[in-house]
Amino acid sequence: MDSFSSFFDSQPGSRNRWSYDSLKNFRQISPAVQSHLQQVYLTLGCALVASAAGAYLHMLLNIGGTLTTLACIGSIAWLMATPPYEEKKRISILFGAALLEGASIGPLISLAIEIDPSVLVSSFVGTAVAFGCFSAAAMLARRREFLYLGGLLSSGISMLLWLHFASSIFGGSTALFKFELYFGLLLFVGYMVVDTQEIIERAHLGDMDYVKHALTLFTDFIGVFVRILVIMLKNSTEKNERKKKRRD
């Protein structure tokens, strides 16, 4: 949060002029990079549609689970190993991985529909708004301004993995689960900013692999969406339990 506040405070002029001055930072993004970003976000949107289709297939056929998760990981590894010049093949693999990811989180989505369908819509809208706001912040900020956060976020992910590993062995608690949930949400939100700036920087250096960049943002989006959905489901369940106790 200090990084974001320092960004706004560092803009020249008064607070009423920060938006105009910050919009001039778009001039740092060349037309070629802007065109690349359009391809990235268009591909990301299509991947999200494929993921929604995967979740729908799970509700119809009950295919989501460990196998689809492993298949998704395998598809991502296949995508990363495929040469960039095989563009159509890589796009197909990306959409296949997105479909499998949607099927993998299908059980969670089905649970949300059973408990409260409005939670699912609110979670998606909230994720989309957060994604748009933090991506815009990364674009409007000075180049490389948030890239230093990458090391801190990687350390946070490592700590999260070790905590999850320890809780699976020694047993977890409600407090630890909440910490992992909220801390993981904070990390993935941070990755939205860092990955957006890294994509812009790589594009300036000539890396126009929009399929790989769309995969990166897709992973961030799903990571935030799942955690927001779990948090809202937990709150909705606790609220329903309180209502039942009051009635009793």
Side-chain angles (χ1 to χ4, degrees):
M1 292 299 294
D2 293 338
S3 300
F4 289 105
S5 60
S6 64
F7 161 66
F8 290 119
D9 293 337
S10 64
Q11 298 303 311
S14 63
R15 287 182 177 269
N16 294 330
R17 292 179 53 198
W18 78 263
S19 58
Y20 171 74
D21 293 330
S22 60
L23 283 173
K24 293 191 294 184
N25 288 332
F26 273 125
R27 297 176 185 175
Q28 298 177 4
I29 304 178
S30 66
V33 175
Q34 291 180 18
S35 178
H36 171 70
L37 289 175
Q38 290 176 359
Q39 281 187 306
V40 169
Y41 285 106
L42 177 61
T43 307
L44 171 62
C46 294
L48 291 174
V49 172
S51 183
Y56 182 69
L57 283 176
H58 167 76
M59 288 186 285
L60 290 178
L61 305 174
N62 195 27
I63 60 174
T66 305
L67 290 178
T68 54
T69 301
L70 293 175
C72 178
I73 295 172
S75 298
I76 292 174
W78 185 18
L79 172 61
M80 300 304 292
T82 304
Y85 61 82
E86 297 185 20
E87 184 177 344
K88 293 183 179 179
K89 180 179 179 181
R90 298 178 83 237
I91 291 176
S92 299
I93 297 172
L94 172 62
F95 291 163
L99 187 142
L100 290 168
E101 178 65 26
S104 299
I105 63 175
L108 178 62
I109 292 177
S110 298
L111 179 63
I113 293 175
E114 290 178 5
I115 295 176
D116 187 358
S118 64
V119 169
L120 180 62
V121 177
S122 300
S123 300
F124 181 81
V125 172
T127 305
V129 170
F131 184 84
C133 291
F134 284 101
S135 295
M139 292 180 188
L140 293 173
R142 293 186 297 270
R143 284 178 59 182
R144 308 183 185 92
E145 184 173 3
F146 295 117
L147 291 182
Y148 76 94
L149 293 174
L152 295 176
L153 294 173
S154 297
S155 299
I157 288 291
S158 299
M159 186 176 72
L160 200 62
L161 290 174
W162 279 111
L163 282 174
H164 185 73
F165 179 72
S167 63
S168 63
I169 295 178
F170 302 105
S173 62
T174 304
L176 183 60
F177 174 74
K178 286 184 177 181
F179 175 77
E180 290 181 0
L181 192 62
Y182 285 95
F183 187 59
L185 176 61
L186 179 64
L187 289 177
F188 276 101
V189 167
Y191 269 116
M192 284 182 176
V193 178
V194 173
D195 287 338
T196 301
Q197 278 211 330
E198 186 175 357
I199 287 170
I200 294 172
E201 191 60 29
R202 286 181 177 274
H204 276 291
L205 296 176
D207 183 1
M208 298 293 185
D209 189 352
Y210 68 93
V211 179
K212 181 179 69 176
H213 295 164
L215 172 64
T216 301
L217 295 180
F218 174 77
T219 304
D220 296 340
F221 191 98
I222 293 298
V224 172
F225 170 72
V226 168
R227 281 158 180 79
I228 290 179
L229 181 57
V230 171
I231 290 171
M232 294 191 71
L233 278 176
K234 189 173 181 301
N235 293 338
S236 179
T237 302
E238 291 176 352
K239 186 178 180 180
N240 291 335
E241 289 178 354
R242 290 171 187 169
K243 289 182 178 180
K244 289 181 179 180
K245 289 181 179 180
R246 290 176 181 175
R247 291 175 183 175
D248 297 337

